[in-house]
Amino acid sequence: MSFSISPVSTPSHPLAPYGWDDGWAETFAPHAEQGLLPGRVVRVDRGQCDVVTPYGALRADTAFVVPRDPMRIVCTGDWVAVDPDGDPQFVRTLLPRRTAFVRSTSSQRSEGQVLATNIDHIVICVSLAVELDLGRLERFLALALSSTAGAALLGDGALPVGRGAPRAYEAQPLVLLTKADLVPDAITLSHLVEDVERIAPGVQVLPVSSATGEGVDVFGAIVGGGTSVLLGTSGAGKSTLANTLLGEDVMHVQGAREVDGKGRHTTTTRNLLLLPGGGALIDTPGLRGVGLWDAETGVGEVFSEVEELARQCRFHDCAHESEPGCAVLGAIEDGSLSARRLDSYRKLLRENRRIAAKTDARLRTETLREWKRRGAEGRAAMAMKRGRTL
């Protein structure tokens, strides 16, 4: 079966609702010349993915793009090139990602795990059914603020990763305080919002309730353009909120446990869904752990007041422990900076540097192994030319 469609982006392009634009059309142009079909991945499951193309949805195998690096595995939100004539059909290549939300894996190999790609808004859902965990929220924010261009770019011409990468595209974080109806007192709710705003400089904080509709219209307007991803722990109300925006029960939900407010992982895959008012939404399973991965930039932005104070210290290498003239310790003494905030800053910096060191060591080992393999192949080829074997 043969397909042909102009890659040019127009408002009437079949993929426009999924975020197809002139930039993607330009990037895809070389693949269009090869007769491949553009599409966006809306779900990944066991080596296969559901892809929306200009001619409808199809199921494609990812066998042709299964690299060693988990950062290059096909993910929900990816734009891909599909062979339309294959049987079965395969994803032939991935287009370079603009943005990605990445966390470290739970393995000892210090690898990154991509949770969603090509996103414009990172929505961190925090349930008001339980006590606020400011440390966990700071961790989410550090990762969100590091999800800029270069965080997980890939393709036939891989671009810089992480530090030093270009920042042409950025995903904007948003904190949703869900289940706001469980805090009926307006003054208490405003104090909770202020607590979060203090640790999330420059980030919008919005209380919402799927039960009463509070804040839902505002949230819908924010995510009405571009692609958004919902992140948070189980029981934060992500799937319920997604259903509210969609206007129907698309995502299965279960009640949270009353003892701790935690959910039961009712969402098991990451799904990209079109919103009736425009835009696309990626719902994700609840996250038990959010290990940092190349998030030094994000940590610096989340704790900008600590880093600003550090620049005022007498010594440029001040450890903020007992040094004379330490502006950070001075701020703790006068109450303008909390000890918890400084402890959290130190903890996240240590963790990120440890992960970065392990990752660098792993990359060095893999590079050395590759050099040895190529060297062995070269020696074997030379020996064959000389008419002997090693």
Side-chain angles (χ1 to χ4, degrees):
M1 188 175 183
S2 178
F3 293 92
S4 64
I5 187 168
S6 171
V8 176
S9 174
T10 66
S12 60
H13 191 283
L15 292 176
Y18 289 89
W20 184 261
D21 57 28
D22 292 335
W24 290 120
E26 181 179 356
T27 302
F28 188 79
H31 305 295
E33 293 175 358
Q34 300 172 22
L36 299 178
L37 201 61
R40 193 164 195 193
V41 177
V42 298
R43 186 173 180 268
V44 179
D45 182 29
R46 299 179 182 179
Q48 292 189 315
C49 59
D50 295 331
V51 182
V52 175
T53 75
Y55 297 96
L58 56 81
R59 186 77 166 165
D61 198 299
T62 63
F64 276 93
V65 282
V66 181
R68 293 180 182 179
D69 189 351
M71 292 284 289
R72 297 169 181 257
I73 293 175
V74 177
C75 182
T76 301
D78 275 329
W79 286 96
V80 299
V82 182
D83 185 351
D85 298 319
D87 185 19
Q89 291 169 309
F90 288 91
V91 172
R92 293 293 175 174
T93 189
L94 299 176
L95 302 190
R97 293 164 175 164
R98 292 178 176 177
T99 58
F101 186 90
V102 185
R103 66 171 178 177
S104 67
T105 63
S106 58
S107 70
Q108 298 301 311
R109 298 182 62 186
S110 303
E111 296 172 332
Q113 180 189 19
V114 185
L115 300 184
T117 65
N118 300 315
I119 43 181
D120 302 288
H121 305 283
I122 297 176
V123 184
I124 305 169
C125 299
V126 180
S127 173
L128 292 179
V130 295
E131 184 177 354
L132 285 177
D133 187 338
L134 297 180
R136 176 182 287 271
L137 181 53
E138 288 165 342
R139 180 179 293 270
F140 268 106
L141 286 168
L143 287 171
L145 290 167
S146 299
S147 301
T148 57
L153 295 178
L154 63 116
D156 296 332
L159 296 177
V161 174
R163 294 181 295 273
R167 296 171 67 94
Y169 297 96
E170 294 188 359
Q172 297 299 318
L174 167 68
V175 177
L176 288 189
L177 301 182
T178 63
K179 306 183 181 181
D181 55 290
L182 300 181
V183 186
D185 182 66
I187 294 178
T188 301
L189 182 59
S190 67
H191 286 164
L192 291 172
V193 172
E194 291 173 1
D195 288 343
V196 174
E197 287 177 336
R198 275 194 290 270
I199 69 164
V203 177
Q204 184 174 358
V205 180
L206 179 67
V208 297
S209 169
S210 297
T212 66
E214 177 183 357
V216 173
D217 288 345
V218 176
F219 176 52
I222 293 173
V223 300
T227 300
S228 306
V229 59
L230 293 178
L231 298 169
T233 59
S234 294
K238 301 185 300 299
S239 295
T240 301
L241 185 60
N243 286 337
T244 301
L245 291 179
L246 291 165
E248 56 181 317
D249 292 339
V250 175
M251 307 305 298
H252 180 58
V253 297
Q254 295 186 39
R257 297 194 299 256
E258 293 185 4
V259 64
D260 57 9
K262 293 182 179 179
R264 300 177 175 84
H265 292 284
T266 52
T267 301
T268 57
T269 59
R270 294 183 285 276
N271 304 277
L272 187 149
L273 307 162
L274 287 185
L275 297 173
L281 186 70
I282 299 176
D283 191 20
T284 65
L287 298 176
R288 288 192 177 94
V290 278
L292 298 186
W293 193 88
D294 201 8
E296 186 172 348
T297 299
V299 172
E301 292 188 39
V302 173
F303 296 91
S304 58
E305 83 281 21
V306 178
E307 298 208 336
E308 176 60 31
L309 287 167
R311 286 190 284 271
Q312 302 172 29
C313 291
R314 180 184 301 177
F315 305 107
H316 74 277
D317 59 348
C318 183
H320 320 306
E321 293 179 349
S322 59
E323 296 85 349
C326 176
V328 175
L329 294 180
I332 291 179
E333 290 178 2
D334 67 24
S336 59
L337 178 68
S338 70
R340 184 209 69 80
R341 185 83 166 148
L342 178 59
D343 289 343
S344 182
Y345 172 69
R346 286 171 169 164
K347 178 181 179 181
L348 294 184
L349 268 188
R350 285 196 303 269
E351 177 183 332
N352 190 71
R353 288 169 180 169
R354 184 173 64 252
I355 292 294
K358 287 184 178 180
T359 301
D360 290 344
R362 175 175 59 84
L363 291 176
R364 286 195 299 270
T365 300
E366 291 178 353
T367 300
L368 180 59
R369 185 183 300 118
E370 181 65 13
W371 285 348
K372 289 182 177 179
R373 183 186 66 79
R374 292 183 180 181
E377 290 177 351
R379 289 191 297 274
M382 184 61 69
M384 290 182 65
K385 286 183 178 180
R386 294 173 178 172
R388 61 185 179 85
T389 58
L390 294 178

